[in-house]
């Protein structure tokens, strides 16, 4: 689709600009407004920073590709980009899990919420999510660098360095890389989704026991923003991953566009979801 590169750059650059402006606006509002210095908004800040890293790890290079034909990338830079993409996607999933736990504590035991989720506890949960992402994804670039030195071609069928896009080009035995990648995908997508769903179900059970309809509606409104954000993150991620592994009949340009949108949609929609649903912001 080279003949469309200039036209494709318009929606992609516009979406990236909207994402950056939305993220910076949320960070600025939460920093300035002292009443927002609460666990929920600290987690939202973490989410905003992660979205900024995810989109910035791919979009500048993609736009350079569209505008200037900058096709080449060094192997080490490619592996670094791959690490940032997969690591911070894993961290984002962990932050969503922490946010659902925060909402459960706030709704089930509001009097002890600030005692359980102190500023230190929020920081430790964020650090745990970051360390998990580094531990899970850290071996991926090393396994490619050390185990897969030879490639059939040096052309990646993607506009950024995705793990499977690199592994499928290798000449050697890629079984270990494939199994490790699938195992990490299972741990992050399946187990995190199960834990988040369990937390949401427990939260809804508490909500149904609230005294007044107004209280139930207010609480459900708070939870709905988290659910929307989680769906915005997980559905494109799952579709892109499944298409890459099993959608061999899908046209390549459709697959490539889906893979790019998966990294752009959450940074665009998360600020909208939280700004619309959160009166304070």
């Amino acid at each position: 689709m080279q003949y469309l590169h200039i036209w494709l750059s318009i929606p992609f650059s516009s979406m990236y600009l909207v994402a950056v402006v939305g993220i910076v606006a949320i960070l600025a509002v939460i920093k300035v407004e002292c009443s927002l210095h609460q666990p929920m908004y600290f987690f939202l800040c973490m989410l905003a920073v992660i979205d900024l890293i995810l989109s910035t790890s791919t979009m500048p290079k993609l736009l350079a590709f569209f505008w200037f034909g900058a096709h080449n990338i060094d192997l080490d830079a490619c592996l670094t980009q791959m690490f940032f993409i997969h690591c911070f996607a894993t961290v984002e999933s962990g932050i969503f899990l922490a946010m659902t736990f925060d909402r459960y504590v706030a709704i089930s035991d509001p009097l002890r919420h600030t005692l359980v989720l102190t500023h230190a506890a929020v920081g430790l949960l964020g650090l745990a999510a970051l360390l998990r992402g580094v531990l899970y994804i850290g071996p991926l670039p090393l396994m490619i660098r050390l185990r897969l030195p030879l490639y059939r071609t040096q052309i990646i069928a993607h506009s950024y360095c995705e793990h499977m896009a690199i592994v499928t080009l290798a000449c050697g035995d890629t079984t270990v890389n494939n199994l490790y990648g699938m195992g990490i995908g299972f741990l992050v997508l399946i187990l995190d989704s199960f834990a988040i769903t369990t937390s949401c179900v427990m939260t809804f059970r508490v909500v149904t026991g609230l005294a007044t309809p107004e209280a139930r509606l207010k609480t459900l409104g708070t939870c709905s923003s988290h659910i929307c954000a989680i769906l915005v993150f997980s559905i494109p991620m799952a579709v892109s991953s499944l298409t890459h592994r099993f959608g061999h009949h899908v046209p390549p340009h459709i697959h490539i566009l889906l893979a790019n949108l998966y990294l752009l949609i959450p940074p665009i929609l998360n600020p909208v979801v939280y700004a619309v649903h959160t009166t304070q912001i």
Side-chain angles (χ1 to χ4, degrees):
M1 300 178 70
Q2 286 89 343
Y3 64 98
L4 289 176
H5 279 181
I6 293 297
W7 297 106
L8 286 171
S9 70
I10 296 172
F12 275 102
S13 59
S14 301
M15 287 189 288
Y16 179 56
L17 180 62
V18 169
V20 171
V21 170
I23 289 167
V24 171
I26 280 188
L27 291 173
V29 168
I30 293 175
K31 177 178 175 57
V32 171
E33 186 57 54
C34 294
S35 64
L36 299 180
H37 294 178
Q38 301 173 28
M40 172 181 170
Y41 304 107
F42 289 144
F43 285 128
L44 182 54
C45 284
M46 295 178 194
L47 192 64
V49 171
I50 292 166
D51 283 339
L52 186 62
I53 293 172
L54 276 175
S55 56
T56 303
S57 64
T58 56
M59 282 305 112
K61 179 63 180 175
L62 177 62
L63 293 176
F65 180 82
F66 283 153
W67 290 336
F68 311 114
H71 304 150
N72 298 329
I73 185 169
D74 182 72
L75 176 60
D76 290 332
C78 183
L79 294 178
T80 301
Q81 185 187 53
M82 184 195 76
F83 171 79
F84 272 90
I85 292 168
H86 293 295
C87 175
F88 281 94
T90 303
V91 175
E92 182 157 359
S93 182
I95 295 300
F96 278 130
L97 183 56
M99 291 173 82
T100 55
F101 173 70
D102 167 63
R103 288 300 86 202
Y104 173 70
V105 174
I107 292 167
S108 63
D109 196 357
L111 296 179
R112 297 187 66 246
H113 178 228
T114 54
L115 297 176
V116 174
L117 281 159
T118 60
H119 290 184
V122 170
L124 286 174
L125 287 172
L127 181 61
L130 177 61
L131 289 176
R132 187 186 72 152
V134 171
L135 289 174
Y136 279 9
I137 306 302
L140 285 181
L142 294 176
M143 289 168 68
I144 291 175
R145 201 76 165 87
L146 300 176
R147 296 190 71 256
L148 305 174
L150 300 176
Y151 300 91
R152 293 189 298 273
T153 176
Q154 293 184 326
I155 300 173
I156 299 174
H158 270 275
S159 53
Y160 61 85
C161 295
E162 199 267 344
H163 175 246
M164 286 305 298
I166 302 173
V167 170
T168 51
L169 304 180
C171 295
D173 182 11
T174 61
T175 304
V176 175
N177 297 75
N178 288 329
L179 290 176
Y180 188 83
M182 291 178 67
I184 294 301
F186 174 81
L187 285 173
V188 174
L189 197 59
I190 306 299
L191 293 186
D192 280 13
S193 297
F194 177 76
I196 289 169
T197 303
T198 302
S199 180
C200 287
V201 169
M202 293 170 63
T203 302
F204 282 126
R205 287 182 62 185
V206 175
V207 169
T208 56
L210 295 176
T212 64
E214 291 79 9
R216 289 195 289 269
L217 284 174
K218 182 179 178 181
T219 306
L220 284 173
T222 304
C223 294
S224 64
S225 58
H226 294 298
I227 294 171
C228 289
I230 291 165
L231 291 175
V232 163
F233 168 76
S234 58
I235 291 176
M237 180 181 180
V239 169
S240 177
S241 178
L242 292 173
T243 303
H244 197 101
R245 293 183 185 278
F246 306 110
H248 303 296
H249 60 284
V250 177
H253 62 280
I254 299 297
H255 187 186
I256 293 166
L257 288 173
L258 282 174
N260 281 299
L261 289 174
Y262 136 64
L263 293 174
L264 257 185
I265 290 174
I268 292 170
L269 292 185
N270 280 345
V272 176
V273 166
Y274 284 103
V276 169
H277 280 269
T278 308
T279 306
Q280 293 91 329
I281 295 179

